Amino acid sequence: MKKYAAFTALLLTVLTLLCACGQREPAQEDAPPLSASQEETVPAWADLAWDEPLPLTYAQAFAVDFSREVEGYARITIDGDVYLLVPEKAPLPQGTPEDVVILQQPIGNIYLQATSSMDCFRRLDALDAIALSGTQADGWYIPEAREAMEAGKILYAGKYSAPDYELIKSSDCGLALMSTMVYHNPEVKEQLERFGIP
């Protein structure tokens, strides 16, 4: 139950941070090289002091920290995994460790397997960021989600234990939001990561 509460709190935090959702931008490695003057303004990972933690009242399984030096960047830690939320069109900090998962805003074409979080997207008026669902249309209790699926705006991409990897990969998926049920099938998380999907 604690993991579920932590996941829900984290999801609300991440959704708030990601509220500028839209179509996925090209990956950082596809961006043109920086000029010498631009490189001077790129922050270095080692120089970022993550000294502004997001206050947590109940949850304990995650942390969100902001840096005072560079506005808009957030470091999210979940069960030891580290994610870096990078503002739209902002550069990746120099020297970012390879094991840090990059979430470049705006994030779109999301595979939403965690059904409880759909209402958060609805309340943020961000259903257009969801491209794929782990629940079929007739399984949705949220009318807007069911209608979006019936209209073909959100496609069914399989449940958490058996996702349609081919559809997910071909949809240019920018993020997979999974419930903690995925821990029962760790190969799913590993396969999505192999495809470069955080």
Side-chain angles (χ1 to χ4, degrees):
M1 190 66 177
K2 282 185 179 179
K3 272 198 166 190
Y4 179 77
F7 173 77
T8 303
L10 169 69
L11 184 61
L12 290 171
T13 301
V14 171
L15 290 175
T16 301
L17 293 170
L18 298 179
C19 65
C21 292
Q23 292 303 311
R24 192 169 159 211
E25 293 292 317
Q28 203 62 32
E29 59 268 14
D30 297 337
L34 298 172
S35 68
S37 63
Q38 287 174 313
E39 281 187 15
E40 291 175 10
T41 62
V42 176
W45 177 267
D47 294 338
L48 294 174
W50 301 105
D51 52 4
E52 288 192 24
L54 179 73
L56 301 177
T57 304
Y58 302 105
Q60 299 174 0
F62 76 96
V64 179
D65 299 293
F66 302 93
S67 176
R68 287 182 204 188
E69 286 91 11
V70 185
E71 188 177 337
Y73 291 81
R75 182 183 66 182
I76 304 166
T77 308
I78 309 169
D79 290 333
D81 292 330
V82 179
Y83 300 82
L84 177 64
L85 186 65
V86 180
E88 184 174 3
K89 298 183 181 175
L92 183 64
Q94 295 176 12
T96 300
E98 288 185 17
D99 60 342
V100 172
V101 179
I102 306 303
L103 301 174
Q104 179 88 44
Q105 292 181 302
I107 298 173
N109 298 334
I110 295 172
Y111 168 48
L112 183 70
Q113 180 276 316
T115 56
S116 60
S117 57
M118 182 64 85
D119 192 49
C120 298
F121 280 90
R122 181 185 65 82
R123 289 177 180 270
L124 289 169
D125 194 25
L127 279 183
D128 60 339
I130 309 294
L132 305 165
S133 169
T135 300
Q136 296 194 39
D138 60 4
W140 279 110
Y141 63 91
I142 298 170
E144 294 89 342
R146 185 174 50 252
E147 290 164 11
M149 291 195 75
E150 289 171 349
K153 294 177 183 175
I154 299 176
L155 303 177
Y156 177 66
K159 60 183 185 173
Y160 77 94
S161 58
D164 184 340
Y165 295 113
E166 191 171 318
L167 176 60
I168 293 169
K169 191 165 178 357
S170 67
S171 298
D172 193 28
C173 180
L175 180 68
L177 282 177
M178 314 288 282
S179 72
T180 54
M181 293 297 290
V182 77
Y183 292 127
H184 298 294
N185 297 84
E187 69 279 1
V188 172
K189 182 175 182 282
E190 291 165 10
Q191 184 68 5
L192 290 168
E193 289 170 347
R194 270 195 288 275
F195 290 144
I197 299 168

